[in-house]
Amino acid sequence: MTVAGSAPPSGRMRSLVERGPGGPTDPRSWRSPLRGPWLTSIFAVVLLVGLPVLIVTGLLSYAAYDPALGGSNDQTPGAGLLASYIWFDWFTSPSWLYRVNQGTHVLLGIALIPLVLAKLWSVAPKLFEWPPVHSVAQALERISLLLLVGSILFLLVTGVMNIQYDYAWKFSFYTGHFYAAWVFIGAFAAHVALKLPTMIRSLRGRSLREELRTSTADTVAEPMDPDHLVSPNPAEATVSRRGALALVGGSSLTLLALSIGQSIDPLRPTALLSPRGRSYGDGPNDFQVNTTFGEIGVDPTETESSWRLRLEGPDGRSVTLRREDLLAMAMVTEELPIACVEGWSTSQVWTGVRLRELAELVGGREADSVFVESLQRGGAFSTMSLTGKQIRAAKTLLALKVNGVDLSLDHGFPARMIIPAAPGVRNTKWVQKLTFRGGS
Ligand SMILES: Nc1nc2c(c(=O)[nH]1)N[C@H]1C(S)=C(S)[C@@H](COP(=O)(O)O)O[C@H]1N2
Ligand SMILES: [Mo]
């Protein structure tokens, strides 16, 4: 939109159109001498390395949910083309795969928060530019910036809230985060393509080593730049660029240090920012609980001697087993992690029956999938599907014990799934029925 062609505005109106309403739209009101293309580019180059890692681990995390299984697994039925990169079933080894992927995704996301905020601070005058729109190209650029800033803030906020508050909103985290990620990926790619030359030029224009040696007293504004990041009216520096970089880098490292324990068992007590970071005592069942049986409304009497596991095969054959029957089968012991989408993870030693042995009892060895049902009534995680690959993996267990003792009620007594390399949510607790489908 331009005013050319319309009647010339007069008086106050004209000054408003030409100079803007003042405040943040007035470039002279932005006075930090640190703002400029060099500092922005330093933040940008770190994000240019970090954000693609966040994107790749995020897309892999989505693939790990095997959205093609549909049903209780897939909450993004319209994903279509956006999910077309997933032409494979998720892997079943190495067993730490999802743990490392998700730990990296969440920890890196947390550590990049100060950098994203610093980057936004460094370009803030651009966001208030006046007039808001003066050409088609500039309008398109502003829209893409709005999508970029909006989507990254949405992703960081929903990611952190998912860790801290257990789904405190109406929409599904999985769906919202996935769609916002694709908005972000598009806007990020466009932004990098447009700004890469400016970034490289700006970084070449000043030496990092020199900058790190410059004291606050010697800190002056960069030369005026075509993008208007540099203040036309700079105040005296109250901090050097070195100080600003130390503040941002220090904040990132602090967040990382206070979170990393959620993914590394011996460091658990240091994860002060993680709701499931605290230590749980020394007992064999003393490790993180996602949801307790009390919260979820599992009736403990249903887990006692009357409990039965029902197996159904692809051709309708069925078998019912008591816990003693399961304990009389070949017992397998494996150390395997539980790795939640929230980023926390823990490795424990599980004992139980191979899922493929159970499949064989009802002629489901070649099944394409198994539908797992919990005693838990209702709720998103009361049922779950697993792939044929997961059925046949030697380490996929229906676990009866952990660390040598019976599972506690909170960890899924009398029996729970443990799937190697998969998201924690696949490890259904309080299992009561397994239906093997397809493949024969
Ligand atoms: N029936 C049932 N199984 C479940 C859940 C649940 O809410 N209900 N939570 C899942 C999630 S999201 C995770 S991360 C793991 C956590 O297992 P834990 O509580 O034993 O640590 O259990 C999974 N199994
Ligand atoms: Mo989870």
Side-chain angles (χ1 to χ4, degrees), residues 307 321-332 351-354 357-358 361 398 400-401:
W307 176 84
L321 299 168
R322 296 168 304 163
R323 198 162 187 275
E324 302 85 87
D325 302 326
L326 290 165
L327 286 165
M329 294 177 68
M331 284 289 122
V332 178
T351 301
V353 185
R354 286 202 172 106
E357 302 267 322
L358 295 170
L361 293 181
L398 180 73
L400 306 169
K401 296 171 181 252

Side-chain angles (χ1 to χ4, degrees), residues 98-115:
Y98 187 79
R99 180 182 205 189
V100 168
N101 186 79
Q102 201 60 14
T104 305
H105 184 71
V106 171
L107 290 172
L108 184 61
I110 291 173
L112 288 182
I113 291 172
L115 271 145

Side-chain angles (χ1 to χ4, degrees), residues 134-185:
H134 58 67
S135 71
V136 174
Q138 185 246 10
L140 288 177
E141 195 203 341
R142 296 208 80 177
I143 290 171
S144 83
L145 283 180
L146 205 69
L147 291 174
L148 184 72
V149 172
S151 61
I152 187 84
L153 293 179
F154 178 88
L155 289 166
L156 292 175
V157 168
T158 52
V160 168
M161 284 181 70
N162 190 47
I163 302 169
Q164 297 290 344
Y165 301 114
D166 278 310
Y167 320 112
W169 48 72
K170 294 265 163 58
F171 59 88
S172 149
F173 166 74
Y174 179 86
T175 314
H177 209 70
F178 178 72
Y179 286 126
W182 278 107
V183 173
F184 173 70
I185 290 168

Side-chain angles (χ1 to χ4, degrees), residues 293-425:
F293 75 93
E295 283 163 2
I296 224 80
V298 167
D299 176 358
T301 60
E302 290 186 30
T303 68
E304 292 165 6
S305 57
S306 65
W307 176 84
R308 296 289 180 273
L309 175 71
R310 192 173 159 82
L311 307 175
E312 270 183 29
D315 53 7
R317 210 186 314 170
S318 76
V319 169
T320 301
L321 299 168
R322 296 168 304 163
R323 198 162 187 275
E324 302 85 87
D325 302 326
L326 290 165
L327 286 165
M329 294 177 68
M331 284 289 122
V332 178
T333 297
E334 296 282 0
E335 175 163 0
L336 292 169
I338 290 186
C340 185
V341 63
E342 296 166 24
W344 66 262
S345 58
T346 181
S347 192
Q348 304 295 335
V349 178
W350 307 92
T351 301
V353 185
R354 286 202 172 106
L355 181 59
R356 67 184 189 204
E357 302 267 322
L358 295 170
E360 248 163 51
L361 293 181
V362 288
R365 207 192 149 99
E366 301 304 321
D368 299 329
S369 69
V370 59
F371 185 65
V372 180
E373 290 170 74
S374 169
L375 286 173
Q376 173 190 338
R377 291 192 185 82
F381 306 150
S382 57
T383 63
M384 189 61 58
S385 297
L386 303 171
T387 62
K389 199 163 162 181
Q390 286 165 333
I391 296 172
R392 285 177 280 284
K395 291 188 177 180
T396 300
L397 302 183
L398 180 73
L400 306 169
K401 296 171 181 252
V402 64
N403 301 316
V405 303
D406 281 349
L407 294 170
S408 67
L409 258 177
D410 281 340
H411 284 303
F413 183 87
R416 77 173 302 171
M417 300 308 312
I418 292 291
I419 323 295
V425 65

